[in-house]
Amino acid sequence: MASLPFRHPTPSILFNHKVNVPLLLPLDLKHLSRFTNSCSPQPNNPLHRHRGKNIRPIKASLETLPFRLFEPPQVEDSPSELEPADPDFYRIGYVRSVRAYGVEFKEGPNGFGVFASRDVEPLRRARIIMEIPLELMLTISQRVPWMFFPDIIPIGHPIFDIINSTNPETDWDLRLACLLLFAFDCEGNFWQLYGDFLPSADECTNLLLATKEDLLELQDENLALNMTKQQQRAFEFWEKNWHSAVPLKIKRLARDPERFIWAVSIAQSRCLSMKMRIGALVQDANMLVPYADMLNHSFQPNCFFHWRFKDRMLEVMINAGQRIKKGDEMTINYMSAEKNNMYMERYGFSSPTNPWDVIQFSGNSQIHLDSFLSVFNISGLPDEFYYNSRLSDGDDSFVNGAVIAAARTLPTWSDGDMPPVPSIERKAAKELQEECQHMLAEFPTTLNEDQQILDSNPEASRTRETAIRYRLHRKLYLEKVIRALELYQERILF
């Protein structure tokens, strides 16, 4: 579910069964009939795009992540930056019975996205916008005895032994990568066509593809160390199973470690994990779902996934009660309640408005939780904090995910029988501000210097750009907390 995610898929080539569903035009394909006759065949090369454009990765945008509830309105991309997807992208799905309703795929500098093609009024029930049959997916169960669909691996093929040698609990990404590479090698397989729309190695933002120099740009030793270990893990797996004595049918899947690590990065950034029922069997599965993996991430998504077991379909559905305007982006939440370092490690993006990010304070200063929440009109319990706009006079665009995160992570105390003393409360807020400023001072570069580096190096690699944005977003978050504490001191009433 970029280079990502993601933020995300499953293959099929030779099927022993078919889904008995009507063949409908997928997506918003009013324009498809004009293009069908002019569509040229896709090359069977999943690592290189044929259109000659420098397309960004498919996963979530690093600059303007959809976060509608807590972010001020943003200017939409101009038509020159956001264009309809290549007609072949629609055609291959149409042929394989992918169906979608009221949405269209568009392509811009940051890759693909799914957008509403018409207004959607809120309903009491969720509604379907996309259906993807099991035959097009690459899926593998998480527990032994493991199963995968579709059954494209012939009996006795050595890739089965390679997959079987992995740990089902921890090596899901290695397993999916092997299955993906095998699907690329199967003649006539759907993923040979769909793979052309996946980001190439130089378009991915996943840090598995980052150099040592790129990882240093994170200014986060723990994250850099974790990514180095993951890179070494993937390389050692390739070295163990793709040695010089392996049969050609295995060697040609990944002739060099870079290709295998690319496949692992695609598996990580596009994998969907959910319970899948087939007949009477219910299993936890890791799934690569074409077309659904084009949905970008949002901390306040308007869509979710649902498995329809009766005809083995994955449904993408709009939340019940959700109002959507024509042109709005359709989004899902890749992970729940995770910090930016986890999004970077798995998908290769971060956000300065992640409501689950944290700051590790070392002092003893504490502010009053109820007072802080009331000042910024934040309601709900800690795991469900949200900005209550009904309590605000006008549009308070200051309150976003960073302020919500501050409410969760700031050292606080709460006692209904003991009102806060103004002088003590202001002193605690100032001490917390000073600690945030000290954290900012410990970074080798300033926020402005990071922005200048990004502006002055437009040709930098995607992984280096992502690493710099990660530290930039961390500093923006600290700056937001400092400003929130300043406003808290100004607005607090006793």
Side-chain angles (χ1 to χ4, degrees):
M1 241 187 198
S3 289
L4 288 29
F6 57 173
R7 250 57 101 40
H8 15 118
T10 55
S12 78
I13 161 177
L14 303 176
F15 315 125
N16 297 323
H17 57 282
K18 296 182 179 180
V19 179
N20 185 21
V21 294
L23 187 63
L24 302 179
L25 280 175
L27 325 170
D28 187 25
L29 296 184
K30 296 178 181 178
H31 62 286
L32 179 61
S33 59
R34 301 197 304 269
F35 293 124
T36 302
N37 295 331
S38 63
C39 289
S40 58
Q42 293 271 16
N44 295 333
N45 188 344
L47 290 178
H48 300 284
R49 309 185 68 116
H50 69 289
R51 291 186 294 279
K53 299 188 218 174
N54 184 19
I55 300 301
R56 292 295 195 181
I58 296 171
K59 280 306 162 185
S61 168
L62 300 176
E63 297 181 357
T64 57
L65 290 174
F67 197 39
R68 311 305 184 199
L69 183 60
F70 300 126
E71 285 185 348
Q74 299 172 350
V75 178
E76 295 184 357
D77 292 329
S78 63
S80 60
E81 295 180 341
L82 204 60
E83 301 176 351
D86 189 300
D88 280 355
F89 178 78
Y90 291 93
R91 184 179 66 85
I92 62 174
Y94 167 65
V95 171
R96 301 302 181 110
S97 300
V98 171
R99 296 176 290 174
Y101 317 95
V103 296
E104 57 187 351
F105 290 85
K106 292 185 179 180
E107 196 173 13
N110 290 304
F112 281 91
V114 185
F115 298 84
S117 61
R118 59 174 180 260
D119 293 342
V120 177
E121 296 300 322
L123 293 180
R124 296 179 62 183
R125 299 180 61 183
R127 67 179 69 187
I128 300 172
I129 61 170
M130 207 182 303
E131 295 174 311
I132 303 97
L134 176 66
E135 286 81 0
L136 299 191
M137 305 179 194
L138 286 175
T139 72
I140 189 166
S141 59
Q142 295 179 2
R143 294 180 178 84
V144 177
W146 58 271
M147 302 173 61
F148 57 88
F149 291 94
D151 190 359
I152 58 176
I153 301 180
I155 297 176
H157 195 285
I159 194 67
F160 183 94
D161 296 326
I162 294 177
I163 295 176
N164 201 41
S165 68
T166 59
N167 185 332
E169 300 294 332
T170 60
D171 295 338
W172 59 270
D173 52 344
L174 302 179
R175 294 147 59 87
L176 267 182
C178 291
L179 201 56
L180 179 64
L181 290 172
F182 183 79
F184 288 147
D185 192 57
C186 290
E187 184 178 355
N189 187 275
F190 171 78
W191 282 82
Q192 289 186 325
L193 300 176
Y194 190 76
D196 191 58
F197 296 94
L198 298 177
S200 63
D202 58 354
E203 295 170 336
C204 285
T205 61
N206 191 294
L207 294 181
L208 276 176
L209 302 168
T211 63
K212 292 182 178 179
E213 292 75 16
D214 294 343
L215 295 179
L216 290 176
E217 297 290 353
L218 291 167
Q219 297 181 1
D220 185 331
E221 293 182 3
N222 291 332
L223 179 56
L225 180 61
N226 288 341
M227 295 312 305
T228 300
K229 290 179 178 178
Q230 286 202 36
Q231 290 174 340
Q232 186 65 24
R233 165 177 166 265
F235 176 78
E236 290 176 353
F237 184 83
W238 175 86
E239 194 174 39
K240 174 184 176 182
N241 296 287
W242 271 265
H243 51 80
S244 59
V246 298
L248 178 60
K249 62 176 68 175
I250 291 295
K251 184 178 296 185
R252 69 191 182 201
L253 301 183
R255 294 184 179 275
D256 52 66
E258 289 76 18
R259 178 173 172 81
F260 180 75
I261 294 175
W262 171 84
V264 176
S265 73
I266 292 296
Q268 285 189 0
S269 60
R270 294 171 179 275
C271 173
L272 167 64
S273 300
M274 65 184 300
K275 288 187 179 297
M276 183 173 65
R277 175 181 171 185
I278 298 181
L281 177 65
V282 179
Q283 60 182 2
D284 294 316
N286 299 117
M287 312 161 68
L288 291 174
V289 187
Y291 294 95
D293 66 344
M294 300 298 180
L295 289 159
N296 284 322
H297 167 78
S298 173
F299 297 109
Q300 195 70 24
N302 49 28
C303 295
F304 67 96
F305 293 131
H306 174 257
W307 178 253
R308 194 172 73 205
F309 71 90
K310 63 180 181 180
D311 55 357
R312 301 180 181 184
M313 285 275 187
L314 180 81
E315 299 174 327
V316 182
M317 308 188 77
I318 298 177
N319 295 328
Q322 186 86 46
R323 183 185 300 274
I324 296 175
K325 296 182 179 179
K326 180 179 179 180
D328 285 352
E329 185 170 10
M330 317 305 289
T331 58
I332 59 171
N333 191 347
Y334 290 176
M335 292 192 295
S336 178
E338 293 291 352
K339 299 182 291 184
N340 270 345
N341 63 332
M342 294 303 298
Y343 282 99
M344 283 295 295
E345 187 173 324
R346 173 76 180 273
Y347 300 106
F349 70 86
S350 60
S351 168
T353 57
N354 183 350
W356 297 98
D357 220 356
V358 298
I359 302 175
Q360 300 296 335
F361 289 94
S362 59
N364 297 321
S365 301
Q366 294 181 324
I367 59 173
H368 197 275
L369 176 61
D370 298 332
S371 298
F372 187 86
L373 298 179
S374 64
V375 162
F376 293 106
N377 297 320
I378 298 173
S379 302
L381 300 174
D383 289 342
E384 300 175 349
F385 279 151
Y386 65 95
Y387 173 56
N388 194 339
S389 59
R390 295 181 180 180
L391 302 178
S392 300
D393 296 330
D395 180 22
D396 187 357
S397 59
F398 177 79
V399 181
N400 62 9
V403 179
I404 301 295
R408 290 193 175 101
T409 193
L410 284 172
T412 58
W413 62 278
S414 182
D415 192 333
D417 297 329
M418 184 182 297
V421 178
S423 59
I424 297 178
E425 193 73 6
R426 288 194 176 93
K427 180 181 178 181
K430 289 181 179 179
E431 289 179 0
L432 293 174
Q433 278 183 304
E434 291 173 358
E435 189 164 358
C436 288
Q437 291 166 348
H438 178 69
M439 293 178 188
L440 284 173
E442 289 182 337
F443 283 100
T445 58
T446 65
L447 192 152
N448 291 334
E449 288 173 344
D450 291 342
Q451 190 62 57
Q452 290 175 2
I453 293 173
L454 289 174
D455 295 339
S456 60
N457 293 279
E459 302 301 323
S461 67
R462 293 293 287 151
T463 50
R464 175 160 299 190
E465 177 187 348
T466 301
I468 296 174
R469 288 195 183 280
Y470 171 75
R471 75 193 197 206
L472 175 68
H473 290 165
R474 183 65 175 172
K475 294 166 189 174
L476 287 171
Y477 173 43
L478 288 169
E479 291 276 9
K480 190 77 172 188
V481 173
I482 292 172
R483 180 58 179 152
L485 289 168
E486 186 69 33
L487 290 177
Y488 174 60
Q489 296 175 63
E490 295 174 2
R491 299 177 180 179
I492 192 168
L493 299 176
F494 300 99

